[in-house]
Amino acid sequence: MAKKELQPSLKTSHIPAGTSWIGYNLSRMKSQRQLMWMSFPFIAFIAIFAYGPLWGWLMAFQNYRPGIGFMEQDWVGLDHFRTLFTDPTFLRVIRNTLAMSLISLFLGFVGSIGLALLLNELRMILFKRVVQTVSYLPHFLSWIIVTGIVANVLSTETGIVNVLLTKLGLIDAPINFFAEPKYFWGIVGLSSMWKEIGWGTIIYLAAMASINPSLYEAASIDGAGRFRKMFNVTLPSIKPTIIILLIINVGNVLNAGFEIQYLLGNGLVQDVSETIDIFVLKYGINLGNYSLATAAGIFKSVVSLVLIFIANGIAKSLGEERLI
Amino acid sequence: MKRFSRKRSLGDSIFSITNGIFMLLVMVVTLYPFLNTIAVSFNNGLDTIRGGIYLWPREWTLQNYVSVFQNPNLTQAAFISVARTVVGTVVQLFCTAMLAYVLSRKEYMFNKLVTTLFVMTMYFSGGLIPGYMLIKQVGLLNSFWVYIIPGLIGVFNMIVIRTYIQGLSEGLIESAKMDGAGDFRIFMRIVLPLSKPVLATVALFIAVGQWNSWFDSMLYTAGNRNLTTLQYELMKLLSSATSQGGTVNVDSFKNVTNMVTPVSIRAAITVVTAMPIVLLYPFLQKYFVTGLTIGGVKE
């Protein structure tokens, strides 16, 4: 990885003698007024659309009722947070989010790294390219299409999985995969893996392409076979990439989980399928309990931010490039 | 290396063959569900229920597609989907690239501040409810522009483009400045044309994102049937059929024939919705691999 270029320092020492700090900066602004004009709309945009809604966080500390001014609401302090953490539904929702997120994370990592290692060993370039093209494809399809396909593959009557299992004599009657809670997490994990495994290999393959070939030659001379080279040369060489991706994903543990669970979930598996985001949607938009839903949203944001800072700290202490 | 290839050991060949077979398996697992869906979409709906449709339709029919295209809801939704994809891609690509250019200029005074402000938004947001209330307040509820404006800047895309621009020759920009060109002119005349590969990559990402999104449609435009997108309409059809084990409301499709079933309609809409991406992406693939590797994980 290339070293970061040194940014020209903006310290006061650069101010020419005889000019005031304000005067200096004003003249700089003037000299780059086109850049100022170009960036102004975007600063306004982010202020309104990204930072504006943060005011809404106050709702979590009120009994928000629509139609009344923001400051005239009843203030209730931490009541909603107390409700959340004593509510068995919410605790279950946290468990579901974590479980599905970690399963998908694990399967995604192992799957993508494994596939990348094997793709890297393919000698026929054309074949390699075809496999790659095919494996990227699901990444570009919406979860709606993918869940439709998953439902089709797992359907009781005509789904290929049930057909195969029956023909192989492994089961007597078709399994209704969407009616039993015990299958749900697995379905979510494998569906995510199916959708993203190919896409995940891109970054590893790029890392593998930059490995110095002399390492492989040296290993060959030492008598290493294909497997040994994979485990003792390729894998250690992409370790920094693996670590940095792992760290980035840690911060997203509570974020990973809305679309697929919302689309595949149903009344029968509700106890294992609902995630924090679905909880927020249900309480906020459907039931109109804005305050409680906002409190749940805040909890998620705060935990994610803390996780990112921890991950960032770990990255720094491991001597990897920092994220933020 | 080539010289040694004759001396490949037995273990080596076994590995290569197993690996090749495994890769074929990966391709089958990825492709079969698509091909099966396509086959079902061309098969007589009532016949499909009997099972046994794998890669080829048994009783060919175009009835499923005819029903889909004769449903006025779906044609309107398709129009909105196309419109938001085209408008959204052009507008967002331009805005994202312009911000990327500004933030690639080291002399820009607020560089660090603005970069931090944008990068922070990748990690947290106001959340669903406050976001919804903002959209309502600024009057975007039930408006076409709700698909375009809130997503004006994609931060990840911005970083990818900025990294690319930083790799362009600084001398080129400096000499244009000497000739009296302003930053906007440099951006339009020099940076944009030189950044075609990365712009193509990002355009693909934005277009796919626009085409695929349904949640904003559900949340912000569900009150206005003229503004819902194809994906959202597909979602409504699927969620009523797949998981609950219930039946799709196929009545609206039945005016043509009674040969269509929830399964066949679902397959046809899935194919219609997926087709633009499947057709487009092989052409852009060569760009995105290089484009992504450049932008990469860095920062």
Side-chain angles (χ1 to χ4, degrees):
Chain A
M1 270 170 216
K3 273 223 166 135
K4 242 190 182 171
E5 252 177 90
L6 283 172
Q7 297 252 335
S9 119
L10 302 176
K11 280 191 196 122
T12 38
S13 55
H14 284 252
I15 300 176
T19 355
S20 74
W21 185 81
I22 296 174
Y24 169 70
N25 280 312
L26 275 180
S27 74
R28 265 183 78 199
M29 273 172 93
K30 219 169 157 190
S31 74
Q32 44 182 254
R33 62 180 177 281
Q34 283 212 6
L35 287 177
M36 294 289 160
W37 281 118
M38 284 167 82
S39 64
F40 176 73
F42 303 121
I43 297 174
F45 162 78
I46 200 173
I48 296 170
F49 283 93
Y51 291 93
L54 290 182
W55 285 112
W57 279 22
L58 289 176
M59 266 190 297
F61 306 96
Q62 308 170 328
N63 264 332
Y64 184 82
R65 280 166 302 159
I68 311 176
F70 218 70
M71 290 300 150
E72 281 108 70
Q73 305 278 350
D74 292 338
W75 292 89
V76 295
L78 293 173
D79 270 11
H80 292 295
F81 289 93
R82 231 167 272 144
T83 316
L84 273 186
F85 293 115
T86 47
D87 179 7
T89 314
F90 189 67
L91 299 177
R92 203 169 55 219
V93 158
I94 294 178
R95 179 204 66 181
N96 293 346
T97 310
L98 281 176
M100 283 186 270
S101 194
L102 292 176
I103 291 173
S104 302
L105 190 65
F106 177 77
L107 288 178
F109 260 88
V110 174
S112 294
I113 294 169
L115 185 62
L117 281 174
L118 293 176
L119 274 170
N120 197 42
E121 295 293 323
L122 281 184
R123 298 238 165 104
M124 283 175 289
I125 300 302
L126 189 68
F127 183 52
K128 181 177 166 185
R129 232 178 253 159
V130 171
V131 179
Q132 280 185 275
T133 307
V134 167
S135 69
Y136 297 157
L137 182 60
H139 170 81
F140 291 97
L141 299 175
S142 70
W143 265 119
I144 297 187
I145 293 173
V146 173
T147 48
I149 286 173
V150 169
N152 186 24
V153 166
L154 295 178
S155 109
T156 343
E157 299 93 31
T158 55
I160 187 75
V161 173
N162 269 317
V163 170
L164 275 180
L165 289 176
T166 318
K167 283 202 171 146
L168 291 172
L170 292 171
I171 51 170
D172 301 325
I175 302 171
N176 189 354
F177 285 101
F178 295 106
E180 297 202 42
K182 63 177 171 185
Y183 294 124
F184 194 79
W185 291 356
I187 294 173
V188 168
L190 290 174
S191 307
S192 310
M193 190 176 165
W194 183 81
K195 190 172 188 286
E196 304 297 345
I197 185 174
W199 188 248
T201 59
I202 289 186
I203 208 83
Y204 299 117
L205 285 169
M208 287 174 196
S210 62
I211 298 174
N212 188 345
S214 66
L215 287 175
Y216 289 105
E217 277 163 39
S220 298
I221 290 165
D222 290 343
R226 298 274 287 272
F227 261 113
R228 283 221 79 119
K229 277 188 266 181
M230 248 162 72
F231 282 100
N232 293 350
V233 181
T234 316
L235 213 47
S237 303
I238 61 167
K239 205 179 89 188
T241 312
I242 297 176
I243 291 176
I244 203 113
L245 284 179
L246 201 59
I247 289 169
I248 288 176
N249 280 306
V250 165
N252 277 322
V253 171
L254 291 190
N255 281 324
F258 174 73
E259 286 194 70
I260 180 171
Q261 290 86 351
Y262 184 82
L263 295 167
L264 282 182
N266 62 66
L268 295 170
V269 294
Q270 201 176 344
D271 281 355
V272 292
S273 72
E274 277 194 342
T275 61
I276 298 178
D277 289 316
I278 296 176
F279 181 90
V280 171
L281 181 71
K282 208 165 113 182
Y283 274 82
I285 304 288
N286 300 348
L287 300 177
N289 193 340
Y290 285 11
S291 295
L292 191 69
T294 305
I298 293 176
F299 165 76
K300 203 188 84 167
S301 279
V302 170
V303 172
S304 296
L305 216 58
V306 169
L307 285 175
I308 284 162
F309 276 110
I310 293 174
N312 202 39
I314 298 173
K316 227 193 305 188
S317 69
L318 285 176
E320 300 293 340
E321 211 157 331
R322 280 186 309 143
L323 301 175
I324 324 171
Chain B
M1 291 281 272
K2 272 260 158 74
R3 268 185 298 154
F4 298 105
S5 61
R6 280 176 170 275
K7 282 209 230 156
R8 257 196 245 164
S9 69
L10 182 67
D12 221 48
S13 314
I14 292 174
F15 177 87
S16 291
I17 292 165
T18 329
N19 194 9
I21 293 172
F22 182 77
M23 289 300 161
L24 284 176
L25 207 69
V26 168
M27 292 219 289
V28 168
V29 171
T30 314
L31 282 180
Y32 173 80
F34 290 116
L35 299 175
N36 178 251
T37 309
I38 294 173
V40 168
S41 77
F42 282 108
N43 198 53
N44 180 308
L46 293 174
D47 178 64
T48 303
I49 301 173
R50 284 171 42 217
I53 305 293
Y54 301 111
L55 292 173
W56 208 248
R58 194 162 43 207
E59 286 184 29
W60 275 90
T61 178
L62 286 173
Q63 236 12 286
N64 303 317
Y65 288 97
V66 172
S67 307
V68 168
F69 286 115
Q70 283 189 349
N71 183 316
N73 264 341
L74 289 180
T75 41
Q76 170 67 14
F79 171 72
I80 293 292
S81 280
V82 171
R84 76 174 282 180
T85 305
V86 173
V87 177
T89 307
V90 172
V91 173
Q92 288 177 25
L93 186 65
F94 183 77
C95 290
T96 306
M98 189 148 107
L99 181 66
Y101 170 74
V102 173
L103 294 183
S104 75
R105 304 304 308 151
K106 286 190 202 99
E107 74 266 21
Y108 174 58
M109 265 176 81
F110 305 126
N111 201 324
K112 233 179 172 161
L113 176 73
V114 177
T115 309
T116 314
L117 281 177
F118 274 93
V119 170
M120 286 282 278
T121 63
M122 288 173 86
Y123 297 106
F124 77 95
S125 68
L128 184 73
I129 308 296
Y132 180 83
M133 291 175 75
L134 177 85
I135 297 291
K136 204 170 165 182
Q137 252 162 27
V138 296
L140 284 174
L141 215 55
N142 287 322
S143 144
F144 175 76
W145 296 103
V146 78
Y147 297 137
I148 314 293
I149 294 173
L152 221 52
I153 303 282
V155 180
F156 177 77
N157 291 336
M158 191 272 286
I159 293 172
V160 172
I161 300 179
R162 190 188 62 168
T163 313
Y164 189 90
I165 294 176
Q166 281 168 343
L168 296 176
S169 155
E170 181 65 31
L172 216 56
I173 294 171
E174 287 301 325
S175 66
K177 276 220 168 118
M178 295 291 181
D179 293 343
D183 279 298
F184 189 70
R185 205 186 166 87
I186 294 172
F187 168 67
M188 293 294 282
R189 294 287 171 80
I190 298 174
V191 174
L192 277 188
L194 285 176
S195 308
K196 268 187 202 135
V198 75
L199 292 179
T201 311
V202 170
L204 174 74
F205 292 161
I206 298 175
V208 167
Q210 283 283 359
W211 182 257
N212 280 345
S213 71
W214 55 278
F215 190 62
D216 48 7
S217 188
M218 176 172 103
L219 210 54
Y220 304 130
T221 68
N224 186 344
R225 293 218 77 161
N226 291 328
L227 285 176
T228 55
T229 59
L230 200 55
Q231 301 277 351
Y232 177 59
E233 295 295 328
L234 174 63
M235 192 280 276
K236 281 199 291 189
L237 279 173
L238 291 180
S239 65
S240 61
T242 52
S243 12
Q244 266 91 344
T247 46
V248 154
N249 178 19
V250 278
D251 292 345
S252 54
F253 298 101
K254 280 213 169 137
N255 50 1
V256 192
T257 162
N258 53 7
M259 291 302 169
V260 296
T261 61
V263 177
S264 63
I265 285 289
R266 210 202 299 153
I269 304 176
T270 305
V271 172
V272 170
T273 317
M275 214 33 83
I277 288 176
V278 175
L279 292 181
L280 198 68
Y281 118 105
F283 298 103
L284 288 160
Q285 198 205 356
K286 62 172 181 205
Y287 290 118
F288 71 63
V289 178
T290 38
L292 248 200
T293 336
I294 297 160
V297 222
K298 295 206 56 194
E299 280 197 289

